[in-house]
Structures are given as C-alpha cells and as structure tokens.
Amino acid sequence: MVKVLIALTSYNEQFYADGAKTGVFVIEALHPFNFYKEQGCEVDFVSENGKFGWDEHSMIPDFLSGKDKEDFEDKNSAFNQALSKTKSAAEVNASDYQVFFASAGHGTLFDYPKAAGLQKIASEIYAQNGVVAAVCHGPAIFDGMVDKATNKPLIEGKSITGFTDVGEVVLGVDTLMKEKKLSSIEDIAKKYNAKYLAPIGPWDDFSVADGRIVTGVNPASATSTAKRSLQVLEAAK
C-alpha cells in the first residue's frame, strides 16, 4: 500500500484586505485526500507544528459546494477523521511514506519556506525514490529545500508550475504580498533557476512532472496533481 503524507500550512492569520484569514485552502487538501483514498492509499496529514486553520476565502460557495461541502462539514467523514490526527513534523518518520504532497493556501507563503521539519521530511522521501508533489502555493515548500544527493536546491534546473503572478493580480493580493515581502511561486522558480511553466489561463487545470517532482497550478489542479504523483511513483519503481 502506498502511504501519502499531505502537508498543511500552520499559518492562520488575517491576510486579505477584507480582514479574512488565510490558512489551508480547503479543496487543495480535500481533493487530493479523497483521490488518494479512492486509489487505496493510506493518507496522513502533517503540519510543521501539528496545528492548522482554514483559509476563509476557500470556504465560499465558489470553491466549496456539493459533495465537497458535505465532506468538509461531516465530522465523521474520512477527511475530518484524518485531520483530527494531524501530526507535527517532529512526529513523522519519512521512511514510512512514498509521496509527500504539499497542499496550499496563501498561508504557505509565510511558513513553508521556514518549515525546516516539513522540508526535511520531503527531501528524505525524495531521497528514498519517492515523489514530492505540490499544488498552487504549495511549491513554496521548495524555497530552501535541498536535494540530499547533490546538496543543491531540489528544483534547480527542473520544470515546475504553481499559482501564477497573473492570478495574484486577479485576486488583488499582489500588493499585499509585496508589502509582506512574500515570494510568489514564479519568484521562487527564478530564485532557484527552475523553469516555470504557465497554464494558458490562471484557472485552468494544469499540472506537470519533472522526474519525481510534480506540481499543479491552482485549486482546479489539486486532483490532477495527486493523480500524476501516483503515475510518477509507479514509473519510478
């Protein structure tokens, strides 16, 4: 059985201009979780300190409705049962997992680049021939992550995607990000000499794989990113 570790941001503070908090973007954790479970995988959640909260903008009907809303609100759903056992990075043994999946929300831009525990777990899973996947703002986890085999940045020379700078402008948070000195995913790609691949439109379902690194661009890409991660894992055997 494939074991998957889904990372969550611990950052859950006011961020948006309307006073709403950022945090974990619901469907960017829910959709991968449900997909992996449907494929027979064992799935655990982790955050740097074992805590997390929700991005309040991710809970509006545009993003959360129908079966997703039911799963999210049902305290007995497999999703919520797994979330209730969220581990801290210090409690996780990387050798137990074959896939590391970094979920997102703007909160990741604050804590993933400093999340030494999560980065260590991801780099160890990668070193043992596993897959490191990330969606939307999740590739912020690569900011500072090193390939243990080469001691170079893990994404150096790799093709990745992630939430677009155009998308940040559309959401009206580009100025906020600059004020808070937050790097966009495109910034991080440039920083580590990775090739950033953009979708035709910022809301398109778009994911890419380069070796055992898999990335997706936005909430609509969460499932395809998870699917691609298992395809890559199978090909790496």
Side-chain angles (χ1 to χ4, degrees), residues 56-236:
E56 292 175 342
H57 280 191
S58 76
M59 295 187 281
I60 64 173
D62 283 356
F63 292 115
L64 189 64
S65 60
K67 181 66 165 62
D68 290 340
K69 194 172 192 297
E70 287 177 25
D71 280 351
F72 179 66
E73 293 180 347
D74 178 3
K75 292 180 180 177
N76 294 315
S77 68
F79 179 62
N80 280 313
Q81 290 295 310
L83 283 170
S84 70
K85 300 170 186 171
T86 299
K87 301 176 182 180
S88 69
E91 295 174 306
V92 169
N93 183 350
S95 63
D96 290 339
Y97 300 92
Q98 293 81 50
V99 178
F100 179 97
F101 186 102
S103 71
H106 278 91
T108 62
L109 301 180
F110 290 89
D111 72 332
Y112 275 7
K114 302 171 188 172
L118 293 179
Q119 291 186 346
K120 182 172 183 284
I121 293 165
S123 64
E124 288 177 355
I125 290 172
Y126 187 83
Q128 63 202 29
N129 213 38
V131 175
V132 177
V135 70
C136 202
H137 293 92
I141 197 75
F142 294 121
D143 190 357
M145 194 188 299
V146 170
D147 183 341
K148 294 183 73 173
T150 64
N151 212 33
K152 293 181 179 179
L154 189 66
I155 58 170
E156 184 177 271
K158 298 284 188 182
S159 293
I160 69 163
T161 192
F163 200 64
T164 65
D165 285 357
V166 170
E168 305 292 11
V169 174
V170 172
L171 291 180
V173 297
D174 54 315
T175 303
L176 272 173
M177 287 171 58
K178 286 171 186 168
E179 287 172 359
K180 296 178 185 296
K181 297 182 169 57
L182 298 174
S183 297
S184 71
I185 303 307
E186 292 192 41
D187 290 336
I188 291 167
K190 289 173 189 168
K191 181 177 178 180
Y192 295 104
N193 196 30
K195 183 179 181 182
Y196 178 83
L197 301 178
I200 294 172
W203 310 113
D204 294 347
D205 181 351
F206 181 72
S207 59
V208 299
D210 190 338
R212 289 177 290 109
I213 295 173
V214 180
T215 47
V217 79
N218 53 28
S221 311
T223 299
S224 66
T225 304
K227 182 176 182 179
R228 200 177 288 269
S229 72
L230 292 188
Q231 292 170 340
V232 167
L233 183 69
E234 181 63 28

Side-chain angles (χ1 to χ4, degrees), residues 33-50:
F33 175 84
N34 283 342
F35 172 79
Y36 287 128
K37 292 295 283 186
E38 286 163 8
Q39 302 307 307
C41 302
E42 189 173 327
V43 188
D44 293 324
F45 286 104
V46 64
S47 72
E48 186 70 7
N49 60 14

